[in-house]
């Protein structure tokens, strides 16, 4: 399978929650050939997800014959996905949107001990990834995408170890309505993890590089946990209920920047 930056891409998305369905809708609308799957079967994928041309398929079908696989699941679900990716060609780009939140995921000892989340994901999958779309409030992903050149367009960091993977990941981020900023290698992707100044703070291309540079690795978990405590105090059923997006932004900008 060959591909260059000007081709329409064949994309498989695993996960049809709000993030996965939004990416399916936006990327299909941008002209890509998109397949989307969840763990419950294609008949459970709603009409909105496929409204712009994406196809609902099984998980096994979603990763067959594609240029890019996008993983839109919690990190603990990635372990189960690894077998689906085992036979993918080495050149297939795998993009991960996940973030580790202990209140939701339970404890992952290696990440708690300081391992970069993206490198933990690489170990679980046994292949390189691109880290993207993880640093955006869900409401912003759904509602705040803008055409290139729009004033105040939100920028997102994109990290990868393979230059070609990063280039394709940045192109797809742009296709969903956001400025893509090269955030370097996966070893540096802790700068876009929860607790960092770039995480869910809706910064522009001009603001994002400084936010990435100012991140303090040793303070990420503490700041992430402080934000979780604030959300749980106001929304005790966090996970079942979603805090308003403007409240999330205010909390993150106060605690992380």
């Amino acid at each position: 399978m060959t591909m260059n930056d000007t081709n329409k891409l064949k994309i498989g998305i695993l996960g049809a929650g709000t993030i996965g369905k939004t990416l399916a809708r936006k990327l299909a609308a941008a002209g890509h050939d998109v397949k989307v799957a969840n763990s419950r079967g294609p008949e459970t994928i709603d009409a909105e997800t496929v409204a712009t041309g994406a196809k609902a398929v099984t998980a096994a079908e979603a990763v067959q014959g594609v240029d890019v696989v996008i993983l839109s699941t919690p990190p603990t679900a990635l372990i189960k996905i690894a077998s689906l990716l085992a036979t993918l060609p080495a050149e297939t780009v795998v993009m991960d949107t996940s973030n580790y939140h202990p209140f939701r995921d339970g404890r992952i000892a290696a990440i708690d001990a300081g391992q970069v989340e993206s490198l933990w994901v690489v170990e679980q999958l046994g292949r390189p990834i691109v880290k993207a779309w993880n640093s955006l409030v869900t409401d912003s992903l759904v509602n705040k995408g803008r055409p290139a050149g729009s004033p105040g367009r939100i920028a997102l960091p994109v990290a990868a170890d393979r230059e070609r993977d990063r280039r394709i990941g940045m192109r797809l981020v742009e296709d969903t309505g956001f400025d893509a900023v090269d955030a370097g290698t996966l070893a540096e992707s802790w700068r876009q993890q929860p607790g960092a100044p770039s995480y869910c703070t809706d910064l522009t291309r001009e603001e994002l590089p400084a936010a990435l540079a100012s991140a303090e690795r040793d303070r990420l978990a503490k700041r992430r946990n402080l934000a979780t405590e604030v959300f749980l105090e106001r929304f005790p059923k966090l996970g079942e209920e979603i805090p308003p997006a403007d409240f999330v932004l205010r909390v993150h900008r106060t605690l992380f920047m």
Side-chain angles (χ1 to χ4, degrees), residues 9 20 26 49 53 56 66 108 166 174 178 183 205 207 212 245:
L9 300 180
K26 286 176 173 280
T49 304
V66 295
I108 298 175
R166 189 184 308 115
E174 295 274 350
F178 303 93
R205 184 190 294 276
E207 297 167 327
L212 291 168

Side-chain angles (χ1 to χ4, degrees), residues 28-77:
H32 300 292
D33 184 354
V34 179
K35 299 184 287 186
V36 60
N38 62 17
S39 60
R40 293 171 291 131
E43 67 281 357
T44 66
I45 294 175
D46 63 33
E48 181 185 7
T49 304
V50 298
T52 59
K55 303 176 185 68
V57 298
T58 67
E61 291 169 334
V63 301
Q64 292 176 356
V66 295
D67 305 308
V68 180
V69 174
I70 298 173
L71 307 177
S72 181
T73 70
T76 48

Side-chain angles (χ1 to χ4, degrees), residues 6 21 87 143 209:
T6 62
K21 72 188 290 184
T87 59
N143 296 311

Side-chain angles (χ1 to χ4, degrees), residues 76 100-109 112:
T76 48
Y100 170 50
H101 290 288
F103 86 92
R104 177 196 66 192
D105 303 320
R107 291 289 179 180
I108 298 175
D112 286 342

Side-chain angles (χ1 to χ4, degrees), residues 200-211:
C200 293
T201 49
D202 280 9
L203 304 179
T204 65
R205 184 190 294 276
E206 292 72 31
E207 297 167 327
L208 183 56

Side-chain angles (χ1 to χ4, degrees), residues 184-206:
T185 65
L186 294 176
E188 290 295 308
S189 65
W190 59 269
R191 297 179 183 277
Q192 64 197 74
Q193 287 180 194
S198 66
Y199 180 74
C200 293
T201 49
D202 280 9
L203 304 179
T204 65
R205 184 190 294 276
E206 292 72 31

Side-chain angles (χ1 to χ4, degrees), residues 104-139:
R104 177 196 66 192
D105 303 320
R107 291 289 179 180
I108 298 175
I111 297 177
D112 286 342
Q115 185 174 22
V116 177
E117 292 180 20
S118 297
L119 297 181
W120 181 87
V121 171
V122 167
E123 287 186 359
Q124 308 317 303
L125 300 181
R127 61 178 301 124
I129 64 166
V130 179
K131 194 72 168 185
W133 293 298
N134 72 298
S135 61
L136 189 64
V137 178
T138 302
D139 178 79

Side-chain angles (χ1 to χ4, degrees), residues 5-23:
D5 287 356
T6 62
N7 290 338
K8 175 175 75 173
L9 300 180
K10 296 179 180 179
I11 301 171
I13 299 176
L14 295 177
T18 304
I19 293 172
K21 72 188 290 184
T22 302
L23 293 177

